[in-house]
Amino acid sequence: MKSTLGIGELAAHFGLATHVLRHWESMGLLAPARASGRRRYGADDLYRVAIILRAKQAGLGLDAIREVLATADPGARQRIMRTHRDELRRRIDDLQASLELIECALDCDHADIATCPHFQRVLDESVTSGAGVRGPGRGAPVRSCGGAVD
């Protein structure tokens, strides 16, 4: 890599539009050096962009990312990251339950899935509690309906 990159080079490196980098700069996520009035990005900026992109994939908003990047206090950063880790784990659990529900539905040959006894058992907790669909629980296996009419 060259010692510094222009905004177009950095944007192209990550497959971003240059306006994204400008926006991140305006939000305080990036602070590129200037040479003759032009933005110049160094190696540390590449890592900051990679952190921003990965954090966005994890569901963090730009304000939260800025908070993580701006704090010099490791304890404060860890508290922020623990909160987001716990939320991410909850979302993963929800997605896993949704996947299990879909797999159950794929294995069902009943004409009306809502009348399938096995599918109803998978949804019992949601029906009785009125809560969102959580599936059979974390790590619980989904048994195939097998198309049998109970």
Side-chain angles (χ1 to χ4, degrees), residues 118-138:
H118 176 68
F119 201 71
Q120 288 175 350
R121 281 191 299 276
V122 171
L123 293 170
D124 274 345
E125 182 181 335
S126 297
V127 170
T128 58
S129 71
V133 176
R134 294 278 185 200
R138 186 187 319 186

Side-chain angles (χ1 to χ4, degrees), residues 31 38 43 48 133 136:
R38 295 188 175 272
R48 286 181 79 85
V133 176

Side-chain angles (χ1 to χ4, degrees), residues 64-122:
I65 297 168
R66 180 183 55 232
E67 194 176 358
V68 167
L69 291 173
T71 185
D73 176 11
R77 183 174 45 253
Q78 289 169 353
R79 283 188 294 280
I80 295 165
M81 295 309 292
R82 274 190 206 102
T83 298
H84 291 291
R85 177 201 58 197
D86 294 346
E87 173 61 18
L88 187 56
R89 283 186 175 157
R90 185 197 61 74
R91 288 177 34 220
I92 289 169
D93 288 346
D94 287 349
L95 289 170
Q96 184 62 43
S98 295
L99 179 60
E100 291 169 357
L101 187 66
I102 289 169
E103 287 173 347
C104 178
L106 287 169
D107 288 339
C108 181
D109 290 334
H110 286 82
D112 179 357
I113 198 165
T115 63
C116 171
H118 176 68
F119 201 71
Q120 288 175 350
R121 281 191 299 276
V122 171

